[in-house]
Amino acid sequence: MSLFKLNSRLIFFKLRSPGECERNTLAARSYANDARKTRLHEFHVRHGGKMVPFAGYMMAVKYADSIASSHLHTRRQCSLFDVSHMLQTKIHGKHREQFMERICVTDVQNLGTGKSALSLFIDDQTGGILDDLIITKTDGNYLYMVTNAGCKEQDMRMLTEELSAFKSSGQDVSLEFLDSDEQSLLALQGPRSADVLQSVVDKSTDLSKLYFMDSITATVCGVPDCRVNRCGYTGEDGFEISVPSDRVEAIAESLVAHDDVKLAGLGARDTLRLEAGMCLHGADISIETTPVEAALMWTISRKRRDERRFPGASVILKQLSDGAQRKRVGLVQKAHGAPVRGGAVLFNVVDGEKIGSVTSGCPSPTLSQNIAMGYVDSKFAKNGTEIQAEVRGQKIPMVVTKMPFVKSNYYSKPK
């Protein structure tokens, strides 16, 4: 069985006959041949990365260590991830904040300078989540945004169309999409990440004053004007660092030369984010799910709710008032065995009624038990509720639990 990541979903090619084997192999090769390479591709290969096609790019799914080993190293020390496949965008112009509020749910105008926020693109008609993103109000004259690789073409098209409509009324705004050939993105994650990064930034940069979701520009490994955001997708303290692609390999080599740092790939990134209770777009959230159902209403400030002018407001606020029929929950398997994966159907233990489905699942390296995330009928969303998942005709006992599964370790400003 060959495993490939495609558009944020796992696709399995089951080989049942020589002819089918050949067709599936050719299809996989064709997709791989069409996939782009980040500027760190040869670096990954040189360091033993197992490369697979993902979201239009060839990416490392793992290195010499197992995914579980990479996962635990990130939790205990520090790992470096190449996330250059994600779309980086700068929004310029006098009316850039008003423009972004037309298409995302964040109160951008009241976001502090040098601050970042998790936000959502919402379908105005259905209230469904088109993508999740990080938006940053920089200390320069632009907004900086990172969106998902699997939604890149959709997001670029939507942004461009909205820009045309916005500018037609005489507003001043422009978009700058940063191609991965010109700008790369690294994620340094783990409890040792601040010490590691502090050792390679300029002396004027004090990372002890940079808190979770803060953003600055700094000189990194001698490269000036790198964008450093204290955030990540693992639940650990960490940073996302935007750097010029012609210098990214030198920076990556400098970072992995540190004793605390190992390379980690897509596999560990996925298990880490699930332990942290974070959504994967295309699996846990999509246009079929709303922020109310996904437990993401905290991304929409009171001001924007009161104004009722954010995308999808009429649908979302009505659902918030009336109550959602289903909710996203954490799930823990009560017994050992094979983990329940995305797509498994969930049932009420009392009468066997179908009550939802699993969207993500994996063995938790940190907890040494199987965990999952999914949507259930709101009547069964209370923590401690016992339900069942069906896997190959077998009913697997599970318990609804709070998330994150593993306590977050963010470097937050003291209250």
Side-chain angles (χ1 to χ4, degrees):
M1 181 179 288
S2 300
L3 172 61
F4 293 89
K5 277 260 195 169
L6 175 60
N7 291 336
S8 302
R9 294 183 181 274
L10 293 173
I11 292 184
F12 293 90
F13 295 100
K14 295 183 179 179
L15 309 179
R16 297 194 179 94
S17 67
E20 186 178 356
C21 176
E22 183 177 0
R23 288 193 300 273
N24 286 327
T25 301
L26 289 173
R29 286 176 179 170
S30 175
Y31 181 71
N33 289 338
D34 291 338
R36 297 181 62 185
K37 297 176 180 178
T38 74
R39 291 291 286 269
L40 285 178
H41 183 85
E42 297 305 323
F43 167 87
H44 295 309
V45 172
R46 191 166 63 249
H47 284 270
K50 180 181 179 181
M51 310 305 291
V52 300
F54 174 76
Y57 282 81
M58 294 301 296
M59 302 293 292
V61 68
K62 65 182 292 292
Y63 295 85
D65 291 340
S66 68
I67 290 174
S69 294
S70 291
H71 176 116
L72 291 173
H73 185 83
T74 309
R75 290 270 182 254
R76 295 165 181 167
Q77 291 173 277
C78 183
S79 294
L80 182 68
F81 301 78
D82 177 14
V83 289
S84 302
H85 59 314
M86 300 184 77
L87 175 62
Q88 301 179 73
T89 305
K90 290 182 178 180
I91 304 96
H92 303 274
K94 179 180 178 181
H95 301 109
R96 59 189 178 274
E97 296 171 8
Q98 292 90 334
F99 169 72
M100 282 306 301
E101 288 192 359
R102 283 170 56 102
I103 58 175
C104 78
V105 299
T106 300
D107 181 6
V108 182
Q109 296 183 67
N110 286 315
L111 186 65
T113 300
K115 302 293 183 181
S116 300
L118 177 68
S119 190
L120 305 170
F121 289 150
I122 301 292
D123 182 88
D124 194 45
Q125 300 301 312
T126 68
I129 301 170
L130 297 170
D131 199 4
D132 59 317
L133 59 132
I134 297 287
I135 183 76
T136 301
K137 182 180 286 189
T138 74
D139 53 4
N141 58 351
Y142 63 92
L143 300 172
Y144 169 73
M145 179 172 64
V146 178
T147 52
N148 283 303
C151 300
K152 183 178 289 188
E153 291 186 5
Q154 165 202 279
D155 290 348
M156 292 176 69
R157 182 171 59 253
M158 183 268 292
L159 285 162
T160 302
E161 290 174 354
E162 288 291 340
L163 176 70
S164 179
F166 190 70
K167 291 183 69 174
S168 65
S169 60
Q171 305 297 306
D172 175 27
V173 66
S174 63
L175 297 171
E176 181 185 359
F177 298 119
L178 307 181
D179 190 89
S180 61
D181 286 338
E182 299 175 356
Q183 197 74 10
S184 295
L185 191 63
L186 300 172
L188 189 66
Q189 299 285 297
R192 296 287 298 159
S193 59
D195 290 335
V196 171
L197 189 58
Q198 187 66 68
S199 71
V200 298
V201 296
D202 52 292
K203 293 182 179 179
S204 63
T205 298
D206 182 0
L207 296 178
S208 70
K209 297 178 181 178
L210 189 75
Y211 298 103
F212 179 58
M213 299 304 276
D214 284 354
S215 180
I216 58 170
T217 55
T219 296
V220 180
C221 299
V223 180
D225 299 322
C226 297
R227 170 66 49 191
V228 178
N229 280 16
R230 197 156 196 164
C231 65
Y233 196 46
T234 64
E236 294 293 334
D237 184 24
F239 305 85
E240 290 187 355
I241 312 162
S242 179
V243 304
S245 291
D246 60 359
R247 304 293 297 277
V248 67
E249 185 168 342
I251 292 174
E253 290 284 12
S254 294
L255 291 172
V256 297
H258 198 288
D259 290 342
D260 287 328
V261 182
K262 288 187 177 182
L263 288 165
L266 294 171
R269 191 166 181 258
D270 195 47
T271 55
L272 287 159
R273 71 88 192 167
L274 183 50
E275 283 188 350
M278 295 181 178
C279 297
L280 173 66
H281 191 275
D284 309 301
I285 53 175
S286 71
I287 195 172
E288 303 298 326
T289 57
T290 70
V292 182
E293 296 168 334
L296 292 173
M297 280 302 295
W298 58 268
T299 63
I300 309 176
S301 70
R302 174 58 59 186
K303 176 176 178 290
R304 298 225 66 190
R305 295 186 205 183
D306 290 344
E307 291 175 344
R308 307 180 67 90
R309 288 202 302 248
F310 60 89
S314 59
V315 176
I316 292 169
L317 293 176
K318 185 176 189 304
Q319 190 177 60
L320 185 64
S321 174
D322 297 347
Q325 292 185 344
R326 60 174 184 159
K327 292 184 179 180
R328 179 172 65 93
V329 297
L331 300 164
V332 174
Q333 283 181 230
K334 295 184 66 176
H336 294 290
V340 174
R341 304 285 188 178
V345 178
L346 298 170
F347 296 89
N348 174 10
V349 296
V350 176
D351 55 17
E353 176 190 6
K354 178 182 175 181
I355 59 170
S357 62
V358 173
T359 53
S360 292
C362 74
S364 164
T366 305
L367 302 175
S368 297
Q369 65 181 142
N370 296 325
I371 60 174
M373 185 188 299
Y375 287 82
V376 298
D377 186 296
S378 296
K379 296 191 299 290
F380 301 93
K382 184 179 179 180
N383 291 337
T385 302
E386 296 191 3
I387 61 176
Q388 293 178 326
E390 186 174 67
V391 179
R392 299 189 183 94
Q394 181 181 1
K395 294 295 177 64
I396 309 296
M398 307 194 81
V399 178
V400 175
T401 188
K402 66 178 181 179
M403 294 185 284
F405 299 97
V406 175
K407 184 180 178 182
S408 300
N409 191 32
Y410 302 129
Y411 181 70
S412 301
K413 189 173 184 178
K415 294 183 180 179

